[in-house]
Amino acid sequence: MSPYEVCPAEQRDAKAIADIHAAAARAAYQGIVPDEQLDALAPATREAKWRQAIEFAEPQVHVAVQGDTVVGFVGFDRSRDPKTKPTVGEIWSLYVHPDHWGKGVALQLWEAAEEGLEDEGCTSVTVWVPLRNERALRFFEHEAGFKREMKTAKTTALGTIRIEEVRLKRELG
């Protein structure tokens, strides 16, 4: 049995979510994004965003907790991509605190999002992942069963740099 429990986020989780978002992004993008930009990923700038997401369920947010400690989160909803069918969901974000990487937390979060999207009537789901984020690509492809849609590669601004992202997709159900 897993030491982690996944449940819908509550307002009191917003600060922990912001802290995890910053810590995991710093660790994941080390060597990809300049250090000064990683240092600017201050949790304070993200807490209000996550409070609003939790309040309005846009996206829906679930947290993974171990005891009383939030160790990861997933945000999911309908796809934000233009011209997609209303049955296409999207993983807007999935982050786990680096201290809990490789322990099955991300898979539990993904499974909660998958169930939530199916409950919303989605039949497929997408996620955008930076091509240089090998850990995230491995997770989504090998553990969560997504496939790359290579013709979707795009360049996105991240602070003052640009990163290449690719969309991955899988069917639900």
Side-chain angles (χ1 to χ4, degrees):
M1 185 161 147
S2 172
Y4 305 102
E5 178 187 348
V6 176
C7 54
E10 297 181 15
Q11 284 295 322
R12 68 173 184 252
D13 299 324
K15 181 175 180 348
I17 290 169
D19 290 344
I20 290 164
H21 195 174
R26 271 190 216 103
Y29 297 111
Q30 193 71 44
I32 298 171
V33 175
D35 288 345
E36 61 274 5
Q37 286 189 316
L38 291 175
D39 293 341
L41 295 173
T45 62
R46 298 172 181 273
E47 187 175 346
K49 172 191 169 197
W50 289 111
R51 271 191 200 290
Q52 186 175 3
I54 293 165
E55 181 177 350
F56 296 106
E58 194 173 316
Q60 295 181 57
V61 182
H62 282 65
V63 291
V65 294
Q66 183 178 42
D68 293 333
T69 305
V70 176
V71 299
F73 70 94
V74 62
F76 61 94
D77 210 329
R78 304 277 180 202
S79 174
R80 297 170 289 182
D81 292 331
K83 299 180 183 174
T84 54
K85 296 178 183 176
T87 55
V88 178
E90 180 182 349
I91 301 298
W92 290 25
S93 56
L94 194 159
Y95 288 90
V96 174
H97 192 282
D99 292 348
H100 296 270
W101 283 0
K103 298 180 181 178
V105 180
L107 190 57
Q108 283 185 251
L109 288 164
W110 152 243
E111 289 168 351
E114 179 181 28
E115 185 177 314
L117 290 167
E118 286 175 347
D119 289 349
E120 293 286 322
C122 292
T123 57
S124 63
V125 60
T126 62
V127 62
W128 285 94
V129 179
L131 283 169
R132 293 184 61 196
N133 187 339
E134 294 171 15
R135 173 180 286 280
L137 286 170
R138 265 193 321 272
F139 169 76
F140 282 109
E141 290 178 318
H142 300 294
E143 294 185 52
F146 283 70
K147 302 283 183 236
R148 292 184 199 198
E149 295 183 302
M150 290 312 292
K151 292 181 180 177
T152 63
K154 67 179 182 179
T155 303
T156 304
L158 182 65
T160 60
I161 66 159
R162 301 183 73 66
I163 58 169
E164 295 293 321
E165 291 184 312
V166 66
R167 185 172 66 196
L168 289 79
K169 185 175 184 177
R170 67 161 280 171
E171 299 304 310
L172 295 172

